[in-house]
Amino acid sequence: QQIVNLLNSFLGLLYQEYRDKSTRQEIETRRLQDSQADPEENSAGEETPNESEAASTPESKAAPQISSLRNSTSRFNLWQDLPEIRSSGVLSILQPDEIKLQEAMFELVTSEASYYKSLNLLVSHFMENERLKKILHQSEAHILFSNVLDVMAVSERFLLDLEQRVEENIVISDVCDIVHQHTVNHFSVYITYVSNQTYQERAYKQLLQDKPAFREVISQLELDPKCKGLSFSSFLILPFQRITRLKLLVQNILKKVEEKSERESTALDAHKELETVVKACNEGVRKMSRTEQMISIQKKLEFKIKSVPIISHSRWLLKQGELQQMNGPKTSRTLRTKKLFREIYLFLFNDLLVICRQIPGDKYQVFDSASRGLLRVEELEDQGQSLANVFILRLLENADDREVSYMLKASSQSEMKRWMISLAPNRRTKFVSFTSRLVDCPQIQCVHPYMAQEPDELSLELADVLNVLDKTDDGWIFGERLHDQERGWFPSSMGEEILNPKIRAQNLKECFRVHKSDDSQRRKLGSRNRQ
């Protein structure tokens, strides 16, 4: 069934292009807002504006700022640009807040049209290519493309319902009720697709390596003008990107609807269901890699103490690495050579710490362990260069059922802080977190995407906004993303500080509103994700 209507012709962007331009425009808008802030207000420690000021100032400035950012290369198709809207005279009747809401709902619809266009290209241009079909075994094609046909069918049905709603009246009544209905009844196909992602990535790399013919055909297909210079892998990852983005688009609508209105209720319902799907997608991706990792670690461990079963469905690795253990009494301050330190290796799981020494054959001999809940850490300050980056790790009850302390030295300040926060997640950080409902604290916006390299790191997407919980002198930040409260470390060069205190206050206010109907779940989430 063809979807040919005003939306498709009006948009004309592949989803990857839309998504990149949209997030970059968010960044430019925030930069403009920051540049207009009073320099004296740009301190997180100073008094912040009251709630009404925080709510009104950024909002009232948003329209002219966005208009000034539009140009021939970055212009977006706005609801108010539609010929039908311009000629109807409705723009002179509607309140500015309602126009912003119309734009937010219209963006959800147009972005779904863009997404469907890209999905269609993935299927028609790549999946159904005759040369590719001959090269790929049926099982290889299944792993590579998974249930993308189901995903595309769901997107088509969803888009048709959205378009029908837009056609009912030039002023859109609501879209979140449609989002809610489709999320509950149809969006489980996303969980299936995204859960296959690890297999998909592995199969794609293997095919590129083992089948020159596959590599050649993919390269030729990517060069087709239809693809607009985008890679095959950027099409494969579309469903995961879309389901995450859809949640953010609903959040954007929720920020603009009238409080305690029916539209707020439907937006909250839609957001809650989307959050459930996104979490299931994330868990699906993690499940396979975690299981493989636990099996690999189990094979490397040899127990000098009573053996602890490592593999468990509810256990995963948070951090591993080498530290230096100080030999001798804790009170000693006459450290002159590195011989006073001995290398140890830690495996920290979400519920267990295992302390080892590395032995020949890529093996680790376990000499102590403790429940993660029975760990305490303490930083040593102003103890001179020899004790730089040293902290005390206390096991309240170790493998021998007694309390012991280890004096440990990390290779850098950031590594020390990362270990301390991972080992004792409830320890107070330098800045207070989102969950404390602090009126103002440092915030940054991601301006460069980042892929986590370690379990305690956080992958970032362009335009993500995060509260800064801690930072180090050697260029790392421990942050909490506002839209999902996920926490982790990332290089400070990936983000820009949000200087305008009114924007920071508005970000927090909007975030509290999005999650207000689910406070207990938010607290549970925040606790679970403290690493």
Side-chain angles (χ1 to χ4, degrees):
Q1 184 178 4
Q2 278 192 323
I3 298 180
V4 182
N5 52 40
L6 180 61
L7 288 173
N8 264 326
S9 60
F10 191 61
L11 192 68
L13 289 174
L14 289 176
Y15 185 69
Q16 297 96 312
E17 297 174 294
Y18 147 76
R19 189 169 171 273
D20 183 60
K21 286 174 182 277
S22 177
T23 51
R24 291 193 183 280
Q25 184 159 330
E26 287 179 41
I27 292 168
E28 290 305 317
T29 301
R30 190 268 310 156
R31 283 173 174 163
L32 191 57
Q33 291 168 332
D34 270 350
S35 70
Q36 294 172 348
D38 184 343
E40 292 182 7
E41 291 182 335
N42 292 342
S43 169
E46 293 183 14
E47 186 179 345
T48 48
N50 63 44
E51 205 169 75
S52 61
E53 288 176 325
S56 62
T57 306
E59 285 291 327
S60 60
K61 292 179 181 177
Q65 286 165 347
I66 290 173
S67 298
S68 68
L69 287 167
R70 279 191 269 145
N71 54 51
S72 58
T73 57
S74 68
R75 175 168 178 140
F76 285 99
N77 303 300
L78 301 175
W79 173 78
Q80 59 192 296
D81 289 337
L82 287 167
E84 290 87 339
I85 304 301
R86 298 183 76 83
S87 62
S88 69
V90 73
L91 291 175
S92 62
I93 301 169
L94 294 178
Q95 293 296 316
D97 285 349
E98 179 62 32
I99 293 174
K100 290 171 190 172
L101 175 58
Q102 291 294 313
E103 296 293 6
M105 292 192 288
F106 188 66
E107 184 184 3
L108 189 146
V109 181
T110 54
S111 63
E112 188 66 29
S114 175
Y115 167 62
Y116 178 80
K117 182 178 180 179
S118 289
L119 274 184
N120 197 35
L121 193 59
L122 171 61
V123 172
S124 62
H125 187 61
F126 291 99
M127 181 179 171
E128 294 177 350
N129 180 270
E130 291 301 326
R131 288 176 63 196
L132 209 55
K133 280 184 180 179
K134 290 175 183 176
I135 294 168
L136 292 176
H137 187 273
Q138 190 174 354
S139 62
E140 292 171 329
H142 178 69
I143 293 172
L144 203 56
F145 295 102
S146 189
N147 64 327
V148 70
L149 291 176
D150 295 335
V151 173
M152 190 168 78
V154 163
S155 174
E156 180 173 353
R157 194 182 303 125
F158 181 41
L159 183 55
L160 284 169
D161 283 353
L162 290 171
E163 289 175 336
Q164 186 177 347
R165 177 63 58 82
V166 171
E167 289 165 5
E168 285 174 4
N169 194 313
I170 57 172
V171 178
I172 306 167
S173 59
D174 197 2
V175 293
C176 289
D177 57 329
I178 297 173
V179 176
H180 178 261
Q181 177 199 342
H182 281 261
T183 305
V184 171
N185 296 324
H186 307 298
F187 282 7
S188 59
V189 297
Y190 281 95
I191 301 170
T192 305
Y193 186 93
V194 174
S195 297
N196 181 57
Q197 189 176 315
T198 306
Y199 295 99
Q200 186 187 64
E201 289 174 356
R202 188 178 298 172
Y204 180 50
K205 287 178 184 175
Q206 203 66 43
L207 285 166
L208 288 174
Q209 185 179 317
D210 298 345
K211 293 192 173 183
F214 172 81
R215 190 166 61 242
E216 182 185 343
V217 171
I218 290 294
S219 297
Q220 289 174 358
L221 292 174
E222 287 175 334
L223 290 172
D224 191 294
K226 291 179 197 168
C227 294
K228 301 188 178 182
L230 296 163
S231 68
F232 174 54
S233 57
S234 79
F235 286 90
L236 288 178
I237 202 171
L238 283 170
F240 187 42
Q241 291 179 332
R242 179 56 184 169
I243 197 68
T244 307
R245 184 70 181 174
L246 197 56
K247 188 186 84 164
L248 296 180
L249 291 170
V250 170
Q251 281 188 9
N252 194 35
I253 292 170
L254 185 52
K255 294 168 188 176
K256 293 173 171 58
V257 294
E258 187 180 349
E259 291 198 47
K260 298 181 180 177
S261 65
E262 186 179 342
R263 290 197 291 196
E264 183 189 52
S265 179
T266 57
L268 284 168
D269 288 344
H271 182 267
K272 183 179 177 182
E273 293 301 330
L274 280 168
E275 198 158 57
T276 301
V277 172
V278 170
K279 283 180 203 167
C281 287
N282 286 328
E283 283 305 308
V285 170
R286 292 167 181 157
K287 191 174 180 181
M288 191 193 98
S289 58
R290 281 176 173 173
T291 303
E292 288 187 345
Q293 189 177 47
M294 297 301 287
I295 292 170
S296 173
I297 292 171
Q298 174 83 63
K299 290 177 180 176
K300 294 179 179 180
L301 299 183
E302 294 182 0
F303 284 84
K304 189 177 179 181
I305 56 172
K306 183 181 177 182
S307 179
V308 177
I310 295 297
I311 299 173
S312 164
H313 290 298
S314 59
R315 179 174 293 151
W316 60 88
L317 184 72
L318 295 182
K319 191 168 179 62
Q320 69 178 69
E322 188 176 272
L323 291 167
Q324 303 286 325
Q325 180 197 356
M326 177 187 166
N327 294 320
K330 173 182 169 182
T331 53
S332 173
R333 294 292 181 267
T334 57
L335 305 178
R336 301 202 177 274
T337 69
K338 274 196 168 184
K339 291 179 182 176
L340 289 171
F341 289 95
R342 186 176 177 186
E343 292 172 358
I344 63 169
Y345 201 93
L346 272 57
F347 289 95
L348 178 66
F349 305 99
N350 61 309
D351 61 346
L352 177 71
L353 171 68
V354 174
I355 306 177
C356 323
R357 299 199 195 283
Q358 193 161 7
I359 56 177
D362 194 26
K363 297 274 187 180
Y364 298 89
Q365 187 179 66
V366 181
F367 66 86
D368 210 349
S369 66
S371 166
R372 187 180 178 219
L374 297 176
L375 304 177
R376 301 293 182 269
V377 292
E378 175 192 343
E379 185 176 351
L380 292 183
E381 296 180 358
D382 302 322
Q383 299 292 340
Q385 187 58 41
S386 58
L387 285 177
N389 309 319
V390 171
F391 66 98
I392 305 295
L393 169 63
R394 280 198 299 137
L395 281 55
L396 300 184
E397 189 177 300
N398 75 344
D400 296 327
D401 298 325
R402 60 190 179 89
E403 182 175 330
V404 295
S405 293
Y406 294 93
M407 183 180 273
L408 303 175
K409 182 178 176 70
S411 58
S412 64
Q413 187 199 40
S414 59
E415 190 63 12
M416 177 189 71
K417 284 199 171 189
R418 286 171 69 164
W419 269 113
M420 290 178 73
I421 286 176
S422 294
L423 288 162
N426 294 319
R427 180 177 172 270
R428 183 183 173 91
T429 50
K430 184 172 183 179
F431 305 104
V432 186
S433 76
F434 160 81
T435 52
S436 72
R437 295 181 177 265
L438 187 70
V439 176
D440 193 23
C441 79
Q443 288 177 8
I444 66 155
Q445 184 178 48
C446 172
V447 295
H448 302 290
Y450 180 68
M451 183 64 69
Q453 306 297 312
E454 300 288 340
D456 66 337
E457 293 180 10
L458 184 64
S459 292
L460 301 178
E461 298 280 356
L462 275 178
D464 278 352
V465 175
L466 304 100
N467 272 352
V468 176
L469 304 186
D470 212 333
K471 56 185 178 182
T472 68
D473 296 336
D474 53 353
W476 285 84
I477 287 175
F478 182 57
E480 181 176 66
R481 187 163 45 217
L482 290 189
H483 77 74
D484 61 6
Q485 286 84 67
E486 288 281 342
R487 293 180 169 193
W489 290 90
F490 51 89
S492 56
S493 57
M494 297 298 108
E496 290 178 356
E497 185 176 356
I498 298 175
L499 302 173
N500 191 329
K502 295 178 182 178
I503 303 304
R504 293 195 298 268
Q506 180 69 10
N507 288 339
L508 286 180
K509 180 174 181 272
E510 290 173 346
C511 205
F512 296 149
R513 185 179 179 190
V514 166
H515 295 280
K516 71 177 180 181
S517 68
D518 205 12
D519 270 355
S520 60
Q521 187 176 0
R522 175 181 58 74
R523 283 194 295 271
K524 183 179 174 185
L525 246 181
S527 173
R528 190 188 70 190
N529 289 317
R530 278 186 205 107
Q531 297 180 359

